[in-house]
Amino acid sequence: MTSDDLTRITVKEALRLLRLGTISSADLVTAHVERIERLDSKVKAYLRFTPELWEKQAAEADRKLRAGAGGPLAGIPMAVKDVLCVQGVETTAGSQILKGYRPPYTATAVQRLFEAGAVMIGVTNCDEFAMGSSTENSSYFPTRNPWDLARVPGGSSGGSAAAVAAGEAMIALGTDTGGSIRQPAALCGVVGMKPTYGRVSRYGLIAFASSLDQIGPFARSVDDAAVVLSVMSGLDALDSTSADRAPMEVLNSFDRGVKGMRLGLPREYYEVEGVEPGVKAAIDAALVVLQKEGAEIVDVSLPHSDYGLAAYYIIAPAECSSNLARFDGVKYGLSEVDARNITDLYMHTRRKGFGAEVRRRVMLGTYALSSGYYDAYYLKAQKVRTLIKRDFDEAFQKCDAIVSATSPTVAFPLGAKTQDPLAMYLNDVLTLGGNLAGLPGISVPCGTSDGLPVGLQVLGPQWGENVVLRVARAYEEASEIKPEVADVA
Amino acid sequence: MSPSTSGAPRHLPAEREGAWEVVIGMEVHVQPKTRSKMFCGCAVAPLNAPPNTYTCEVCLGMPGVLPAINIAAVEACLKTALALSCEIPRHTKFDRKNYMYPDLPKGYQISQYDLPMSVNGHIEVGGRTVRIRRVHLEEDTGKLVHAGDKLHRAWESYVDLNRAGVPLMEIVSEPDLRSADEARDYAMELRTVLRNIGASEADMEKGQMRVEPNISVRKVGSSGLGVKTELKNINSFRALHRAISYEVARHVEVLQSGGAVVQETRGWSEDEQRTFSQRSKEFAEDYRYFPEPDLPPLELDRAWIEELRRNLPELPAVTRAALEKELPAAVAALIGESRDLTELYRQTIARGASSTATANWIVNEVAPSGKIPSPDNLAELVRFLEDGAITRDQGREVLAESVETGRTPAEIVAEHGFRQTSDPSELLVIAEAVIDANPKAASDYRAGKTQAIYVLVKDFRARAPQANPKVANELLTKLLS
Amino acid sequence: MPLSKDEVRHVALLARLGLEPGEEELYAEQLSGILGHIDRLQKLNTDDIAPTAQVVEVASRLRDDEPRASLSQAEALANAPAQHDGFFRVPSIQEEA
Ligand SMILES: [Mg+2]
Ligand SMILES: [Zn+2]
């Protein structure tokens, strides 16, 4: 098998070869670095690379593997989104305001992956502070879709999705606040999963919207995503919102097949405005596959879906307006420290340091929380959030999991939506409900439309990761569609 | 000058001056006794620690960090609430108070807004009931140092975040206080309670207790409230009293000259002994409170609260009342002030020592020295003194030594051969020697200058420390008459 | 409801966001557009609906009062844009107008 082939195999296969001693972690890393050197100047998935880490971690993994030891991800090359803190590694949330910032600590989720043997290759590009759906809001450069370099990879975790799709990493971490893992996974033709809120510790995740953010994996198979998730999950004393549940033992606790399962098809999602015919066709085909496997497709309704986007665009900006107040030019990052007084320091630092979309949302959130508007906007949105959660609770009375398209459209050309914020926000209509309700959700490749990947979204009830993974894997096995590495042209 | 907003008529006739009622409410921030900070594992910095040596990613407000609530801070807050007879609701939560300032690393303070830890309490101060509106938990800010000089405005400031994230209890009273004296007594009573229940050291000089009175005046008889001002940077009870007195006079002056009091925060200048207007932190004060999404709401365990209630020590007011049954009010107050002295007193008299003598020795000797003897030893000492076995002077030595060494008064008295002689035949010789040695004093006394006796008594004590002063006195006066 | 230039200016000040010349109009227009969509929330009757601040039920958690090591002064200041004798340095906070 050639070195390049090593960038096309799954984690499962790689671990088999590593344990057999056929290959070493160093080989895997080399293969990925070579591919990065060949392709990333086009794809631009990475912001930075971490050779000192990959050398140390690969050597450590090989030492353990030779001793017959090594964790569940020993020696596996991994990419990390720029919003997850890694001690000593520049972490900027895709923003100028954090240029040069090196955290003194490592995010819990990343730490757990390091302990499981994962090898960090580099830091991936994303929309600034994870605010966006195309990675065009990165303050550094846009990332390209490996399947068509003229198109976006989706976002905000576009760099991580593109890295896995292009064979520049075997697995990658993303964060999902309104669809930021699932939507880029769909547009890049890889598997991406958002866990139940509280399943994975947020400690070390640079917050966008604290009550919605979750960390999740990108991979090229459902099993691979499941391993990464199971390693990251579980209670963390440093995150008071992380659930006190035993870490998932996914691999041996989710059964195969969907025989007899009821899969809900929300008409509001199926008929969502702006859904492309090609996407609809791919979803219809996927539903047929699942039916053939013995699943029953049942109609369900999420009557408040029309209000999801509105509620989301109050709650998320409100929380972000507060979360981003710490970027004041005093303790770290960009600073107009020679301003003539403290207010100028704030105004100038934040004007220069934040991009247009971040400032738009900070203003929207500040407005929604300001006196006189709190009840009309923030409180109202929280009440609507209750209604949306109820919709899902009732739907899950009728079905085991909910299926839909992940995104109404396939990857769109760069620049197509940058002038119209609302049009950009509409990318997330099918995913943000899962964040508002705290549900686990996954996107698996389900064919193409005009040669571009389409994603099938599976949503489960809170803590129903195993149900979601079961449906996704059953589909993956039954369909002819296997996640592939893009031949970047 | 803008028209009066308090309804006070212009040009008050002289006889109406002083016909004002003072209305004071207090906001007190207290640092609960904890080892670590409110939301992170940093130790609470000692006073004068080098800047930024007690910080971590959490209290520095680094990107990605999250808070974790310190149970000891919650416990101290609950004990305080219970001691102030507050209600403790079933549901409480933390909220974000948003404003940007260099001493506030996250750009928001984690505090409590609409569901505080406790509400509706009260405390008795000098016969007046002061209602407590709420006691809640929050985090402290860092410290700012300004570089500059008196003439020119500061050109830059320095930030030390050692204090950032230190726990604070905020105790808010209703405007039930009516004078600077009452306000000071309230603050002192609060300190006594906090120390007695072990919730806080409450040392104002160390910044563990910060008192912010809000003051307004109104015409006697009127029920509405005047425009209030809030006073900051007060760091002693003395300063509290002076600041309020100054501010009350200022309000009355403004109103009587037909002006209007401006609602604002004013600082107290210890150097200039006056209050001055402070510029507000925000252009527009709009804190945009909202529920802290990083902390689940607290459902406090009722069994835990009941246990805290049961284990709450006797409150100072109750202690004083009990002591006043046996002792003069002043003495009772002095002893009741401190749990240690109260315990010492109670256990000593429980060992049969007379209450008056015990109280006097505690107030005059033990309290000033700050060194607490064992009740057994104090009881024994008091008995020696009551039996007239040793003199007061000897008693002082015995007390000091037994506190130092822990040895019993009996041992010490024996070792030093302390005793008190009351036998006239033994002391007569000395009395005669004293008179011979001080002919002038003797003649003066005979001539009617009775105070001359003290010269003789002094010499008597020098020659015979063991002598019973009373007997010695009688002998001298007898010989001289 | 649409946002006026004055409201944009006020909100930007609250948020301590400096605006480039001409941005007041831009944001007034864009934010008004977004709020136009958001205003559909007002059509829903939510009188007896409880708000959801946190969507997953997590039990109250209290941390033991155990101190752990802090960062060194050098580590704390490692990312500081400006420092002075172990302090973070900032411009004058005396004047704010
Ligand atoms: Mg306060
Ligand atoms: Zn700390």
Side-chain angles (χ1 to χ4, degrees), chain B residues 37 39-43 54-60 161-162 164-165, chain C residues 68-71:
Chain B
K37 289 187 178 182
F39 298 116
C40 67
C42 286
Y54 285 78
T55 67
C56 68
E57 64 263 25
V58 175
C59 53
L60 287 171
L161 296 176
N162 283 345
Chain C
R68 64 171 168 85
S70 292
L71 297 170

Side-chain angles (χ1 to χ4, degrees), chain A residues 101-102 197 211 235 239-240 242 306-307 309-310 313 329-333 335 337 339-343 346-347 350-351 354 356 359-360 362-363 366-367 373 376-377 380 382-387 389-390 436-438 462-463, chain C residues 1 3 7-8 11-20 23 27 30-31 34-35 37-44 46-47 49-56 58 61 71 79-82 88-93 95-97:
Chain A
Y101 172 69
R102 293 176 187 278
Y197 183 85
S211 77
L235 174 67
D239 177 357
S240 303
S242 74
D306 276 359
Y307 302 92
L309 189 74
Y313 276 95
V330 175
K331 306 159 299 281
Y332 40 72
S335 178
V337 72
R340 78 175 205 297
N341 63 48
I342 195 69
T343 307
Y346 293 155
M347 306 289 269
R350 291 159 66 82
R351 186 189 71 237
F354 289 146
R359 288 193 286 153
R360 196 149 42 224
V362 167
M363 281 203 263
T366 303
Y367 177 69
Y373 298 99
Y377 287 118
K380 186 78 179 184
Q382 283 199 328
K383 290 177 166 191
V384 172
R385 187 177 186 177
T386 305
L387 294 173
K389 168 125 187 338
R390 280 188 198 165
L436 288 169
Q462 286 184 0
W463 313 114
Chain C
M1 53 197 98
L3 217 56
E7 286 173 300
V8 169
V11 168
L13 191 57
L14 264 183
R16 297 295 188 272
L17 285 174
L19 295 178
E20 308 283 0
E23 280 189 331
Y27 283 120
Q30 289 183 332
L31 294 176
I34 298 163
L35 288 168
H37 175 88
I38 286 168
D39 281 336
R40 68 178 55 191
L41 293 178
Q42 310 310 330
K43 290 188 298 190
L44 281 176
T46 52
D47 294 349
I49 304 297
T52 297
Q54 277 155 326
V55 73
V56 168
V58 179
R61 205 167 300 136
L71 297 170
N79 286 288
F88 296 93
R89 178 171 68 79
V90 297
S92 159
I93 57 168
E95 178 197 73
E96 273 213 346

